[in-house]
Amino acid sequence: MRKFLALALVLGAALAQRAEVSAGSPFGLQGGLRFPLVPLLVDGRVYGGVGPQALGGGADLLFKVPLTDLYLGLGGFYGTGKALSLPQDQAGQAGVRGVLGTWLNLPLPLVGVYLELHPVYYLTPNQGFGLGAALGVSLGL
């Protein structure tokens, strides 16, 4: 199992287009990798995170809106403990989420800053809706 995880990390880092760190939904502090699936149109993202109440990870499929800095996506996550979103009493450990994001236009080479809004539907332990947000920094090409 350790060899498989090490191989997955090495291959993931080799194939990734960008490395990302974000603060906010769903776990608090996330680190992840973004992969180009269809150049200039579709990206995939995997991430893991830790927060005040939860530890977990997830994956998103992100669709770029042509000729803009906007992207839309759909993903899923699973963690131990409540995810970080509002209302907190409805937060759960696993769910699906939408991603509504934009790149902030900052004149930094190889560094991107993005802002995302996450409408969430929690599946366990309670079913319900939530809303989260994240601010992130992305490094790479």
Short mmCIF file of all heavy atoms in Angstrom, two decimals, residues 77-141:
data_model
loop_
_atom_site.label_atom_id
_atom_site.label_comp_id
_atom_site.label_asym_id
_atom_site.label_seq_id
_atom_site.Cartn_x
_atom_site.Cartn_y
_atom_site.Cartn_z
N PHE A 77 -16.67 15.18 -1.96
CA PHE A 77 -15.69 15.17 -0.88
C PHE A 77 -16.14 14.23 0.22
O PHE A 77 -17.32 13.90 0.33
CB PHE A 77 -15.47 16.59 -0.31
CG PHE A 77 -16.70 17.18 0.33
CD1 PHE A 77 -16.93 17.02 1.68
CD2 PHE A 77 -17.62 17.89 -0.43
CE1 PHE A 77 -18.06 17.55 2.27
CE2 PHE A 77 -18.74 18.43 0.15
CZ PHE A 77 -18.96 18.26 1.51
N TYR A 78 -15.17 13.81 1.01
CA TYR A 78 -15.44 12.96 2.16
C TYR A 78 -14.44 13.30 3.25
O TYR A 78 -13.26 13.49 2.97
CB TYR A 78 -15.32 11.48 1.81
CG TYR A 78 -15.61 10.60 3.01
CD1 TYR A 78 -16.91 10.36 3.40
CD2 TYR A 78 -14.59 10.07 3.76
CE1 TYR A 78 -17.20 9.60 4.51
CE2 TYR A 78 -14.86 9.30 4.87
CZ TYR A 78 -16.16 9.07 5.25
OH TYR A 78 -16.43 8.31 6.36
N GLY A 79 -14.91 13.39 4.48
CA GLY A 79 -14.02 13.71 5.58
C GLY A 79 -14.49 13.14 6.88
O GLY A 79 -15.57 12.56 6.98
N THR A 80 -13.67 13.29 7.89
CA THR A 80 -14.03 12.89 9.25
C THR A 80 -14.32 14.16 10.02
O THR A 80 -13.44 14.99 10.21
CB THR A 80 -12.88 12.12 9.92
OG1 THR A 80 -11.74 12.97 9.95
CG2 THR A 80 -12.55 10.86 9.16
N GLY A 81 -15.54 14.34 10.40
CA GLY A 81 -15.94 15.57 11.10
C GLY A 81 -16.73 16.47 10.17
O GLY A 81 -16.86 16.22 8.98
N LYS A 82 -17.27 17.55 10.73
CA LYS A 82 -18.11 18.46 9.96
C LYS A 82 -17.27 19.31 9.01
O LYS A 82 -16.22 19.83 9.37
CB LYS A 82 -18.87 19.40 10.89
CG LYS A 82 -20.00 18.73 11.62
CD LYS A 82 -20.78 19.76 12.40
CE LYS A 82 -22.00 19.14 13.04
NZ LYS A 82 -22.81 20.14 13.72
N ALA A 83 -17.78 19.48 7.80
CA ALA A 83 -17.14 20.35 6.82
C ALA A 83 -17.38 21.81 7.20
O ALA A 83 -18.27 22.13 7.98
CB ALA A 83 -17.68 20.06 5.43
N LEU A 84 -16.60 22.67 6.62
CA LEU A 84 -16.67 24.10 6.91
C LEU A 84 -17.59 24.79 5.90
O LEU A 84 -17.21 25.00 4.75
CB LEU A 84 -15.25 24.69 6.83
CG LEU A 84 -15.06 26.13 7.21
CD1 LEU A 84 -15.45 26.36 8.66
CD2 LEU A 84 -13.62 26.54 7.00
N SER A 85 -18.83 25.07 6.32
CA SER A 85 -19.79 25.78 5.46
C SER A 85 -20.90 26.33 6.35
O SER A 85 -20.96 26.05 7.54
CB SER A 85 -20.35 24.87 4.38
OG SER A 85 -21.18 23.90 4.94
N LEU A 86 -21.78 27.09 5.74
CA LEU A 86 -22.91 27.64 6.46
C LEU A 86 -24.19 27.05 5.89
O LEU A 86 -24.28 26.85 4.68
CB LEU A 86 -22.94 29.16 6.33
CG LEU A 86 -21.77 29.88 6.99
CD1 LEU A 86 -21.84 31.36 6.66
CD2 LEU A 86 -21.73 29.66 8.48
N PRO A 87 -25.23 26.78 6.66
CA PRO A 87 -25.25 26.82 8.11
C PRO A 87 -24.49 25.65 8.71
O PRO A 87 -24.53 24.53 8.19
CB PRO A 87 -26.74 26.74 8.45
CG PRO A 87 -27.34 26.01 7.30
CD PRO A 87 -26.52 26.36 6.10
N GLN A 88 -23.76 25.88 9.78
CA GLN A 88 -22.89 24.86 10.36
C GLN A 88 -23.67 23.69 10.94
O GLN A 88 -23.19 22.57 10.94
CB GLN A 88 -21.98 25.48 11.43
CG GLN A 88 -20.92 24.56 11.97
CD GLN A 88 -19.94 24.07 10.92
OE1 GLN A 88 -19.63 24.77 9.98
NE2 GLN A 88 -19.44 22.86 11.09
N ASP A 89 -24.89 23.91 11.41
CA ASP A 89 -25.67 22.81 11.98
C ASP A 89 -26.12 21.81 10.92
O ASP A 89 -26.45 20.68 11.24
CB ASP A 89 -26.87 23.32 12.77
CG ASP A 89 -27.82 24.15 11.93
OD1 ASP A 89 -27.38 24.69 10.90
OD2 ASP A 89 -28.99 24.27 12.31
N GLN A 90 -26.11 22.18 9.64
CA GLN A 90 -26.47 21.27 8.56
C GLN A 90 -25.24 20.58 7.96
O GLN A 90 -25.37 19.70 7.14
CB GLN A 90 -27.19 22.02 7.44
CG GLN A 90 -28.57 22.47 7.81
CD GLN A 90 -29.51 21.30 7.94
OE1 GLN A 90 -29.39 20.30 7.26
NE2 GLN A 90 -30.49 21.42 8.84
N ALA A 91 -24.04 20.99 8.36
CA ALA A 91 -22.81 20.47 7.74
C ALA A 91 -22.66 18.98 8.01
O ALA A 91 -23.00 18.49 9.08
CB ALA A 91 -21.59 21.22 8.26
N GLY A 92 -22.14 18.28 7.04
CA GLY A 92 -21.93 16.85 7.16
C GLY A 92 -20.51 16.45 6.83
O GLY A 92 -19.63 17.30 6.67
N GLN A 93 -20.29 15.14 6.72
CA GLN A 93 -18.95 14.61 6.47
C GLN A 93 -18.69 14.32 5.01
O GLN A 93 -17.54 14.27 4.59
CB GLN A 93 -18.76 13.32 7.27
CG GLN A 93 -18.83 13.53 8.74
CD GLN A 93 -18.75 12.22 9.49
OE1 GLN A 93 -18.98 11.16 8.95
NE2 GLN A 93 -18.40 12.31 10.76
N ALA A 94 -19.71 14.10 4.23
CA ALA A 94 -19.54 13.76 2.82
C ALA A 94 -20.63 14.43 2.01
O ALA A 94 -21.74 14.66 2.50
CB ALA A 94 -19.61 12.25 2.62
N GLY A 95 -20.31 14.74 0.77
CA GLY A 95 -21.31 15.35 -0.07
C GLY A 95 -20.81 15.65 -1.46
O GLY A 95 -19.69 15.31 -1.83
N VAL A 96 -21.67 16.29 -2.22
CA VAL A 96 -21.32 16.77 -3.55
C VAL A 96 -21.39 18.29 -3.50
O VAL A 96 -22.13 18.87 -2.71
CB VAL A 96 -22.27 16.20 -4.63
CG1 VAL A 96 -22.08 14.70 -4.77
CG2 VAL A 96 -23.71 16.53 -4.35
N ARG A 97 -20.59 18.92 -4.36
CA ARG A 97 -20.57 20.37 -4.35
C ARG A 97 -20.43 20.91 -5.76
O ARG A 97 -19.85 20.27 -6.63
CB ARG A 97 -19.45 20.90 -3.47
CG ARG A 97 -18.07 20.69 -4.04
CD ARG A 97 -17.01 21.28 -3.15
NE ARG A 97 -15.70 21.28 -3.80
CZ ARG A 97 -14.68 21.97 -3.38
NH1 ARG A 97 -14.79 22.71 -2.30
NH2 ARG A 97 -13.53 21.92 -4.02
N GLY A 98 -20.98 22.07 -5.94
CA GLY A 98 -20.76 22.83 -7.16
C GLY A 98 -19.59 23.77 -6.92
O GLY A 98 -19.28 24.11 -5.78
N VAL A 99 -18.96 24.18 -7.97
CA VAL A 99 -17.85 25.13 -7.86
C VAL A 99 -18.12 26.26 -8.83
O VAL A 99 -18.32 26.04 -10.02
CB VAL A 99 -16.49 24.47 -8.20
CG1 VAL A 99 -15.38 25.49 -8.13
CG2 VAL A 99 -16.22 23.29 -7.29
N LEU A 100 -18.17 27.46 -8.32
CA LEU A 100 -18.30 28.68 -9.11
C LEU A 100 -17.06 29.50 -8.79
O LEU A 100 -16.92 30.00 -7.68
CB LEU A 100 -19.55 29.41 -8.65
CG LEU A 100 -20.25 30.35 -9.59
CD1 LEU A 100 -20.72 29.59 -10.81
CD2 LEU A 100 -21.42 30.99 -8.90
N GLY A 101 -16.12 29.59 -9.74
CA GLY A 101 -14.85 30.22 -9.43
C GLY A 101 -14.41 31.24 -10.45
O GLY A 101 -14.89 31.27 -11.58
N THR A 102 -13.48 32.10 -10.02
CA THR A 102 -12.87 33.07 -10.91
C THR A 102 -11.42 33.28 -10.51
O THR A 102 -11.07 33.21 -9.34
CB THR A 102 -13.63 34.41 -10.90
OG1 THR A 102 -13.05 35.27 -11.88
CG2 THR A 102 -13.58 35.08 -9.54
N TRP A 103 -10.60 33.52 -11.51
CA TRP A 103 -9.21 33.89 -11.27
C TRP A 103 -9.16 35.38 -11.04
O TRP A 103 -9.79 36.15 -11.77
CB TRP A 103 -8.34 33.52 -12.47
CG TRP A 103 -8.20 32.05 -12.66
CD1 TRP A 103 -8.91 31.25 -13.50
CD2 TRP A 103 -7.30 31.19 -11.98
NE1 TRP A 103 -8.52 29.96 -13.39
CE2 TRP A 103 -7.51 29.88 -12.45
CE3 TRP A 103 -6.33 31.39 -11.01
CZ2 TRP A 103 -6.81 28.79 -11.99
CZ3 TRP A 103 -5.61 30.30 -10.55
CH2 TRP A 103 -5.85 29.02 -11.04
N LEU A 104 -8.42 35.82 -10.04
CA LEU A 104 -8.22 37.24 -9.79
C LEU A 104 -7.02 37.69 -10.61
O LEU A 104 -5.97 37.04 -10.59
CB LEU A 104 -8.00 37.49 -8.30
CG LEU A 104 -9.11 36.96 -7.39
CD1 LEU A 104 -8.76 37.20 -5.94
CD2 LEU A 104 -10.44 37.58 -7.74
N ASN A 105 -7.15 38.76 -11.34
CA ASN A 105 -6.10 39.21 -12.24
C ASN A 105 -5.03 39.98 -11.48
O ASN A 105 -5.11 41.20 -11.32
CB ASN A 105 -6.69 40.08 -13.35
CG ASN A 105 -7.55 39.26 -14.27
OD1 ASN A 105 -7.19 38.15 -14.62
ND2 ASN A 105 -8.69 39.80 -14.65
N LEU A 106 -4.02 39.26 -11.05
CA LEU A 106 -2.87 39.87 -10.38
C LEU A 106 -1.64 39.68 -11.26
O LEU A 106 -1.46 38.61 -11.84
CB LEU A 106 -2.64 39.21 -9.02
CG LEU A 106 -3.80 39.30 -8.03
CD1 LEU A 106 -3.46 38.54 -6.76
CD2 LEU A 106 -4.13 40.74 -7.71
N PRO A 107 -0.80 40.68 -11.39
CA PRO A 107 0.36 40.58 -12.29
C PRO A 107 1.53 39.81 -11.64
O PRO A 107 2.60 40.35 -11.43
CB PRO A 107 0.72 42.04 -12.54
CG PRO A 107 0.30 42.74 -11.28
CD PRO A 107 -0.92 42.01 -10.80
N LEU A 108 1.32 38.54 -11.37
CA LEU A 108 2.35 37.71 -10.76
C LEU A 108 2.71 36.56 -11.71
O LEU A 108 1.83 35.83 -12.14
CB LEU A 108 1.86 37.13 -9.43
CG LEU A 108 1.43 38.15 -8.37
CD1 LEU A 108 0.76 37.44 -7.22
CD2 LEU A 108 2.62 38.95 -7.91
N PRO A 109 3.98 36.40 -12.06
CA PRO A 109 4.35 35.31 -12.97
C PRO A 109 4.23 33.94 -12.28
O PRO A 109 4.67 33.77 -11.14
CB PRO A 109 5.80 35.62 -13.34
CG PRO A 109 6.30 36.48 -12.22
CD PRO A 109 5.12 37.22 -11.68
N LEU A 110 3.62 33.00 -12.95
CA LEU A 110 3.43 31.61 -12.50
C LEU A 110 2.62 31.46 -11.22
O LEU A 110 2.56 30.40 -10.63
CB LEU A 110 4.79 30.92 -12.33
CG LEU A 110 5.66 30.85 -13.59
CD1 LEU A 110 7.00 30.21 -13.25
CD2 LEU A 110 4.98 30.10 -14.69
N VAL A 111 1.99 32.55 -10.75
CA VAL A 111 1.18 32.51 -9.54
C VAL A 111 -0.21 33.01 -9.89
O VAL A 111 -0.37 34.07 -10.49
CB VAL A 111 1.78 33.39 -8.42
CG1 VAL A 111 0.87 33.41 -7.21
CG2 VAL A 111 3.16 32.90 -8.04
N GLY A 112 -1.23 32.23 -9.54
CA GLY A 112 -2.61 32.64 -9.74
C GLY A 112 -3.34 32.65 -8.41
O GLY A 112 -3.07 31.85 -7.53
N VAL A 113 -4.25 33.59 -8.27
CA VAL A 113 -5.08 33.67 -7.07
C VAL A 113 -6.52 33.51 -7.54
O VAL A 113 -6.93 34.11 -8.53
CB VAL A 113 -4.88 35.02 -6.35
CG1 VAL A 113 -5.78 35.13 -5.15
CG2 VAL A 113 -3.42 35.18 -5.94
N TYR A 114 -7.28 32.67 -6.84
CA TYR A 114 -8.66 32.42 -7.24
C TYR A 114 -9.60 32.50 -6.05
O TYR A 114 -9.21 32.36 -4.90
CB TYR A 114 -8.79 31.06 -7.93
CG TYR A 114 -8.37 29.88 -7.10
CD1 TYR A 114 -9.29 29.20 -6.31
CD2 TYR A 114 -7.06 29.43 -7.09
CE1 TYR A 114 -8.92 28.11 -5.55
CE2 TYR A 114 -6.67 28.34 -6.33
CZ TYR A 114 -7.61 27.69 -5.57
OH TYR A 114 -7.24 26.61 -4.81
N LEU A 115 -10.86 32.76 -6.36
CA LEU A 115 -11.92 32.85 -5.38
C LEU A 115 -13.04 31.94 -5.85
O LEU A 115 -13.42 31.96 -7.02
CB LEU A 115 -12.42 34.29 -5.28
CG LEU A 115 -13.48 34.60 -4.26
CD1 LEU A 115 -12.98 34.32 -2.85
CD2 LEU A 115 -13.92 36.04 -4.38
N GLU A 116 -13.57 31.10 -4.94
CA GLU A 116 -14.61 30.14 -5.30
C GLU A 116 -15.78 30.20 -4.33
O GLU A 116 -15.62 30.47 -3.15
CB GLU A 116 -14.05 28.71 -5.28
CG GLU A 116 -13.01 28.44 -6.31
CD GLU A 116 -12.47 27.03 -6.27
OE1 GLU A 116 -12.70 26.30 -5.28
OE2 GLU A 116 -11.80 26.66 -7.24
N LEU A 117 -16.96 29.91 -4.85
CA LEU A 117 -18.18 29.76 -4.08
C LEU A 117 -18.64 28.32 -4.26
O LEU A 117 -18.63 27.80 -5.38
CB LEU A 117 -19.24 30.73 -4.60
CG LEU A 117 -20.54 30.82 -3.83
CD1 LEU A 117 -20.28 31.33 -2.41
CD2 LEU A 117 -21.49 31.73 -4.55
N HIS A 118 -19.02 27.64 -3.17
CA HIS A 118 -19.36 26.22 -3.21
C HIS A 118 -20.77 25.97 -2.66
O HIS A 118 -20.94 25.87 -1.45
CB HIS A 118 -18.38 25.39 -2.38
CG HIS A 118 -16.96 25.57 -2.76
ND1 HIS A 118 -15.97 25.77 -1.84
CD2 HIS A 118 -16.36 25.58 -3.96
CE1 HIS A 118 -14.82 25.89 -2.45
NE2 HIS A 118 -15.03 25.79 -3.75
N PRO A 119 -21.78 25.83 -3.50
CA PRO A 119 -23.05 25.29 -3.01
C PRO A 119 -22.88 23.79 -2.77
O PRO A 119 -22.35 23.08 -3.61
CB PRO A 119 -24.03 25.58 -4.14
CG PRO A 119 -23.22 25.97 -5.32
CD PRO A 119 -21.84 26.23 -4.89
N VAL A 120 -23.29 23.31 -1.59
CA VAL A 120 -23.01 21.94 -1.17
C VAL A 120 -24.31 21.22 -0.83
O VAL A 120 -25.22 21.80 -0.24
CB VAL A 120 -22.10 21.94 0.08
CG1 VAL A 120 -21.81 20.54 0.55
CG2 VAL A 120 -20.82 22.70 -0.17
N TYR A 121 -24.38 19.94 -1.22
CA TYR A 121 -25.44 19.06 -0.74
C TYR A 121 -24.78 17.94 0.07
O TYR A 121 -24.00 17.16 -0.47
CB TYR A 121 -26.26 18.46 -1.88
CG TYR A 121 -27.37 17.58 -1.37
CD1 TYR A 121 -28.46 18.13 -0.71
CD2 TYR A 121 -27.32 16.21 -1.52
CE1 TYR A 121 -29.47 17.34 -0.22
CE2 TYR A 121 -28.33 15.40 -1.03
CZ TYR A 121 -29.40 15.97 -0.38
OH TYR A 121 -30.40 15.18 0.12
N TYR A 122 -25.06 17.90 1.35
CA TYR A 122 -24.47 16.90 2.24
C TYR A 122 -25.25 15.60 2.17
O TYR A 122 -26.48 15.60 2.17
CB TYR A 122 -24.44 17.40 3.68
CG TYR A 122 -23.51 18.56 3.85
CD1 TYR A 122 -23.98 19.85 3.97
CD2 TYR A 122 -22.14 18.35 3.87
CE1 TYR A 122 -23.11 20.91 4.11
CE2 TYR A 122 -21.26 19.40 4.00
CZ TYR A 122 -21.76 20.68 4.12
OH TYR A 122 -20.89 21.72 4.25
N LEU A 123 -24.52 14.49 2.13
CA LEU A 123 -25.14 13.17 2.05
C LEU A 123 -25.14 12.44 3.38
O LEU A 123 -26.08 11.69 3.67
CB LEU A 123 -24.42 12.33 0.99
CG LEU A 123 -24.43 12.92 -0.42
CD1 LEU A 123 -23.51 12.14 -1.33
CD2 LEU A 123 -25.84 12.96 -0.96
N THR A 124 -24.07 12.59 4.17
CA THR A 124 -23.99 11.92 5.48
C THR A 124 -23.39 12.86 6.50
O THR A 124 -22.60 13.71 6.14
CB THR A 124 -23.10 10.66 5.43
OG1 THR A 124 -21.79 11.03 5.09
CG2 THR A 124 -23.62 9.62 4.47
N PRO A 125 -23.68 12.73 7.74
CA PRO A 125 -24.69 11.89 8.38
C PRO A 125 -26.09 12.47 8.23
O PRO A 125 -27.07 11.76 8.36
CB PRO A 125 -24.26 11.85 9.84
CG PRO A 125 -23.58 13.14 10.05
CD PRO A 125 -22.91 13.47 8.74
N ASN A 126 -26.17 13.79 7.95
CA ASN A 126 -27.47 14.42 7.70
C ASN A 126 -27.53 14.87 6.26
O ASN A 126 -26.52 15.29 5.70
CB ASN A 126 -27.66 15.65 8.60
CG ASN A 126 -27.46 15.35 10.06
OD1 ASN A 126 -27.78 14.27 10.51
ND2 ASN A 126 -26.91 16.30 10.80
N GLN A 127 -28.71 14.82 5.67
CA GLN A 127 -28.86 15.35 4.33
C GLN A 127 -29.32 16.80 4.44
O GLN A 127 -30.19 17.12 5.23
CB GLN A 127 -29.86 14.53 3.53
CG GLN A 127 -29.34 13.15 3.23
CD GLN A 127 -30.29 12.37 2.33
OE1 GLN A 127 -31.41 12.77 2.09
NE2 GLN A 127 -29.80 11.25 1.84
N GLY A 128 -28.67 17.66 3.67
CA GLY A 128 -29.04 19.07 3.71
C GLY A 128 -28.14 19.88 2.81
O GLY A 128 -27.17 19.38 2.24
N PHE A 129 -28.48 21.16 2.69
CA PHE A 129 -27.74 22.06 1.84
C PHE A 129 -26.85 22.98 2.66
O PHE A 129 -27.17 23.29 3.80
CB PHE A 129 -28.70 22.91 1.00
CG PHE A 129 -29.42 22.12 -0.05
CD1 PHE A 129 -30.69 21.64 0.19
CD2 PHE A 129 -28.82 21.84 -1.26
CE1 PHE A 129 -31.36 20.92 -0.78
CE2 PHE A 129 -29.48 21.11 -2.23
CZ PHE A 129 -30.75 20.65 -1.98
N GLY A 130 -25.77 23.43 2.05
CA GLY A 130 -24.88 24.39 2.68
C GLY A 130 -24.23 25.26 1.63
O GLY A 130 -24.40 25.06 0.42
N LEU A 131 -23.49 26.24 2.08
CA LEU A 131 -22.80 27.15 1.19
C LEU A 131 -21.43 27.45 1.77
O LEU A 131 -21.31 27.81 2.94
CB LEU A 131 -23.60 28.45 1.04
CG LEU A 131 -23.06 29.45 0.04
CD1 LEU A 131 -23.06 28.88 -1.36
CD2 LEU A 131 -23.89 30.73 0.09
N GLY A 132 -20.40 27.29 0.96
CA GLY A 132 -19.03 27.55 1.39
C GLY A 132 -18.31 28.42 0.39
O GLY A 132 -18.80 28.68 -0.71
N ALA A 133 -17.13 28.86 0.77
CA ALA A 133 -16.29 29.68 -0.11
C ALA A 133 -14.84 29.37 0.18
O ALA A 133 -14.50 28.86 1.25
CB ALA A 133 -16.58 31.16 0.11
N ALA A 134 -13.97 29.68 -0.78
CA ALA A 134 -12.54 29.45 -0.59
C ALA A 134 -11.76 30.51 -1.36
O ALA A 134 -12.16 30.96 -2.43
CB ALA A 134 -12.14 28.06 -1.06
N LEU A 135 -10.61 30.86 -0.81
CA LEU A 135 -9.65 31.74 -1.45
C LEU A 135 -8.37 30.94 -1.58
O LEU A 135 -7.90 30.35 -0.60
CB LEU A 135 -9.43 33.00 -0.62
CG LEU A 135 -8.39 33.99 -1.13
CD1 LEU A 135 -8.82 34.57 -2.46
CD2 LEU A 135 -8.16 35.08 -0.12
N GLY A 136 -7.80 30.90 -2.79
CA GLY A 136 -6.64 30.05 -3.00
C GLY A 136 -5.55 30.67 -3.83
O GLY A 136 -5.74 31.67 -4.52
N VAL A 137 -4.37 30.04 -3.74
CA VAL A 137 -3.20 30.41 -4.51
C VAL A 137 -2.78 29.19 -5.31
O VAL A 137 -2.73 28.08 -4.77
CB VAL A 137 -2.04 30.87 -3.59
CG1 VAL A 137 -0.79 31.14 -4.38
CG2 VAL A 137 -2.45 32.08 -2.79
N SER A 138 -2.49 29.40 -6.58
CA SER A 138 -2.13 28.31 -7.48
C SER A 138 -0.76 28.61 -8.09
O SER A 138 -0.53 29.72 -8.57
CB SER A 138 -3.21 28.21 -8.57
OG SER A 138 -2.96 27.13 -9.41
N LEU A 139 0.12 27.62 -8.05
CA LEU A 139 1.48 27.78 -8.58
C LEU A 139 1.68 26.84 -9.75
O LEU A 139 1.35 25.67 -9.67
CB LEU A 139 2.51 27.46 -7.50
CG LEU A 139 2.40 28.24 -6.20
CD1 LEU A 139 3.32 27.64 -5.16
CD2 LEU A 139 2.71 29.70 -6.43
N GLY A 140 2.22 27.33 -10.83
CA GLY A 140 2.49 26.48 -11.98
C GLY A 140 2.22 27.19 -13.28
O GLY A 140 2.08 28.40 -13.34
N LEU A 141 2.16 26.42 -14.35
CA LEU A 141 1.97 26.98 -15.70
C LEU A 141 0.52 27.17 -16.03
O LEU A 141 -0.34 26.50 -15.63
CB LEU A 141 2.62 26.07 -16.73
CG LEU A 141 4.13 25.86 -16.55
CD1 LEU A 141 4.62 24.84 -17.54
CD2 LEU A 141 4.88 27.15 -16.70
#
